[in-house]
Amino acid sequence: METLLMTGTALWCFKHEVLTRNKGRDMGLRVSGAPPFHQHATGIALTGSALELSGTEYYSIPLDRITQLYIGFDEYYTKNLVHNFGLGGQPLRIATSSGQVMYFFIDYHFFGNANKSWFNQIKAQIV
C-alpha cells in the first residue's frame, strides 16, 4: 500500500484550458467572490510516488515526471483569473516531462489556500 502523505481538495485546470477559456467571463472572476478560474474540482492526495487527483475523473502525476513546481502567476494564468486581481491567492503550477502544465488551488477558501504547504511537501518528495 502506497504511503499517503497529504489529502485535500483541488480546483485545477490544464494550461490549454486557460488558453481556450471564455475570456468574456474574466471580469466576473476579478471582482466577485467567485473562486479562481478552474475547470476541475477533485480530491487530491500526495503519496510517496505520485500526486493523485480523483473525483468524477482520475489523474495520476508520478512525482518523477514533475519537471517544474512553482507558485505564482505566469503569462497564461494571470492575476485576472483570481478575485480581487490576484489577492485570492496564487496558483501552484506543475509541469511534467510530457509537456503538460497544470494550475492548482488546493484547499481553496475565499481568504487563501494551502498551496504553499503542498508545494513544500511535493518539493521534499522530488528533491
Side-chain angles (χ1 to χ4, degrees):
M1 176 105 182
E2 186 71 44
T3 304
L4 187 61
L5 302 174
M6 296 177 82
T7 62
T9 58
L11 303 177
W12 63 275
C13 60
F14 290 106
K15 176 178 152 184
H16 72 271
E17 292 170 326
V18 173
L19 295 174
T20 60
R21 74 187 185 280
N22 178 349
K23 293 182 173 105
R25 295 183 180 186
D26 288 0
M27 180 55 98
L29 292 169
R30 290 191 293 256
V31 297
S32 72
F37 175 80
H38 65 285
Q39 293 294 309
H40 312 272
T42 63
I44 187 167
L46 175 62
T47 70
S49 63
L51 198 58
E52 308 281 340
L53 304 167
S54 61
T56 56
E57 51 201 325
Y58 174 81
Y59 290 97
S60 178
I61 306 166
L63 297 180
D64 63 359
R65 301 214 50 211
I66 294 176
T67 57
Q68 185 183 61
L69 189 64
Y70 174 76
I71 293 179
F73 298 102
D74 61 19
E75 64 270 27
Y76 308 108
Y77 202 108
T78 65
K79 293 179 182 182
N80 291 339
L81 299 178
V82 179
H83 69 81
N84 294 333
F85 297 94
L87 293 177
Q90 297 182 30
L92 170 61
R93 183 178 70 210
I94 295 175
T96 67
S97 56
S98 64
Q100 200 165 60
V101 177
M102 302 164 84
Y103 299 91
F104 293 87
F105 285 86
I106 302 173
D107 293 336
Y108 173 82
H109 53 86
F110 188 74
F111 297 106
N113 59 63
N115 283 358
K116 186 156 177 71
S117 296
W118 281 78
F119 173 89
N120 290 332
Q121 284 294 323
I122 296 167
K123 184 177 175 184
Q125 294 302 308
I126 62 176
V127 178

